[in-house]
Amino acid sequence: MSKPYVYITRQVPEQLVEPYREIANIGMWKHDDLPVDQETLEKEMAEADGIVTMLSDKVNEEILQKAKRLKVIANLAVGYDNLDLKVIENRGIVATNTPDVLTEATADLTFALLLATGRRLIEADQFVRQGKWKQWSPFLLAGSEMNQKNIGIVGMGRIGEAVARRAKGFGMEILYHNRTKKEEAEKELAAQFCSFEELLEKSDFVVCLTPLTDETKGLFNKDAFERMKQTAIFINVSRGAVVDEEALYDALVSGQIRAAGLDVFQQEPVDPNHPLLSLNQVVCLPHIGSASEETREAMIKLCLDNVTSVLQGKPPVTPIR
């Protein structure tokens, strides 16, 4: 009996793939830093029994029409807004993601971005490199402290709770907004559940970790930024489409809010001429929330565990639903 065929839409380290070659024939896209082209993806979709996709791969009805043998799609991300789940499920295909394994790495990055933005670290680095540091002065590149400040977390899932634990260690007061109350987090961290509007009005740091859904698309709009304190700092490590970027730019330029730290954008890779990139009070990262070596390796292994489990007739390890 021939082995099933699995395709991975990026090149990943062979040492991670090798153990799974006993179970399946595995093909990979030739680049690790460029997305698979449409023609190749369609060809592979027609031949594959299982596929490992990246968050930048759009899996919709059009591409799935080519998938005659496909049994499982493993998405290398927690979010899955790139997958048309309704079409996937209607075709009897299993969809999986990678929860849990990236929680701590993403929380680390979120808090690092919060610190870098609040304490103006990127501005300070450039100030030194550009030869502008001529003397010390009391308010040179003065930023915002964390201690005794309110952090408002929008989206209190696993990553949100991990960020809250870090914030607690910095002496911050934790506010959160979520679809459901998190009683354990409230007990452990003294976190306070708030309406979205109340969180915006009270928070010194507003951290967006909510998944992208029809309800959250454009959640942070002109009205949201107008509700924030003028000293507020906005952090987004979820999805770019949760934010109205034009409204964010206007809020920053007008002084409606103080600064922003962004790991995600509406269009990725972001255009280097994007208006937000022109602002010194914005720290921009290339969607690296989970990008530690340990976590990315764990994510790839989990994807392959999901694929091979389904192809062997077993339940997936982490089904999306």
Side-chain angles (χ1 to χ4, degrees), residues 90-152:
N90 286 344
R91 289 178 170 270
I93 300 168
V94 175
T96 72
N97 62 344
T98 58
D100 297 328
V101 294
L102 52 67
T103 297
E104 300 303 327
T106 306
D108 283 348
L109 188 283
T110 302
F111 216 80
L113 186 54
L114 186 151
L115 285 166
T117 307
R119 291 302 304 268
R120 303 174 66 182
L121 299 186
I122 307 304
E123 285 183 81
D125 176 87
Q126 293 302 310
F127 188 82
V128 174
R129 292 175 186 274
Q130 293 168 5
K132 296 179 180 178
W133 188 21
K134 304 300 183 183
Q135 58 186 0
W136 183 89
S137 61
F139 287 92
L140 175 64
L141 291 161
S144 302
E145 288 189 13
M146 316 294 131
N147 186 46
Q148 301 302 309
K149 296 291 180 66
N150 290 340
I151 181 171

Side-chain angles (χ1 to χ4, degrees), residues 154 196 208-213 215-221 224-225 234 236 238-245 264-266:
V154 180
F196 181 60
C208 177
L209 291 165
T210 186
L212 175 61
T213 65
E215 291 75 26
T216 62
K217 186 175 182 179
L219 179 66
F220 287 91
N221 54 22
F225 293 120
F234 174 67
N236 187 15
S238 60
R239 288 292 187 268
V242 173
V243 178
D244 179 336
E245 291 179 346
V264 290
F265 295 85
Q266 288 182 5

Side-chain angles (χ1 to χ4, degrees), residues 46-198:
E47 299 177 1
D49 298 285
I51 190 164
V52 176
T53 54
M54 309 296 126
L55 57 86
S56 55
D57 298 323
K58 301 299 181 185
V59 181
N60 52 27
E61 185 170 13
E62 180 183 358
I63 194 74
L64 286 169
Q65 288 176 356
K66 312 291 182 181
K68 306 302 182 184
R69 301 169 49 181
L70 194 64
K71 299 177 180 66
V72 55
I73 298 170
N75 206 43
L76 191 82
V78 171
Y80 43 85
D81 48 281
N82 59 309
L83 306 182
D84 189 330
L85 288 184
K86 183 177 180 180
V87 174
I88 290 169
E89 291 171 352
N90 286 344
R91 289 178 170 270
I93 300 168
V94 175
T96 72
N97 62 344
T98 58
D100 297 328
V101 294
L102 52 67
T103 297
E104 300 303 327
T106 306
D108 283 348
L109 188 283
T110 302
F111 216 80
L113 186 54
L114 186 151
L115 285 166
T117 307
R119 291 302 304 268
R120 303 174 66 182
L121 299 186
I122 307 304
E123 285 183 81
D125 176 87
Q126 293 302 310
F127 188 82
V128 174
R129 292 175 186 274
Q130 293 168 5
K132 296 179 180 178
W133 188 21
K134 304 300 183 183
Q135 58 186 0
W136 183 89
S137 61
F139 287 92
L140 175 64
L141 291 161
S144 302
E145 288 189 13
M146 316 294 131
N147 186 46
Q148 301 302 309
K149 296 291 180 66
N150 290 340
I151 181 171
I153 300 172
V154 180
M156 195 68 152
R158 297 179 183 91
I159 298 170
E161 290 187 22
V163 170
R165 288 195 297 273
R166 287 156 176 75
K168 193 69 175 176
F170 275 76
M172 302 183 83
E173 300 296 324
I174 300 161
L175 311 177
Y176 78 97
H177 178 72
N178 201 56
R179 286 177 294 181
T180 57
K181 294 189 70 174
K182 307 299 285 284
E183 293 184 3
E184 287 302 315
E186 292 180 9
K187 291 177 184 177
E188 177 190 353
L189 303 165
Q192 301 174 43
F193 179 82
C194 298
S195 69
F196 181 60
E197 292 75 16
E198 183 182 6

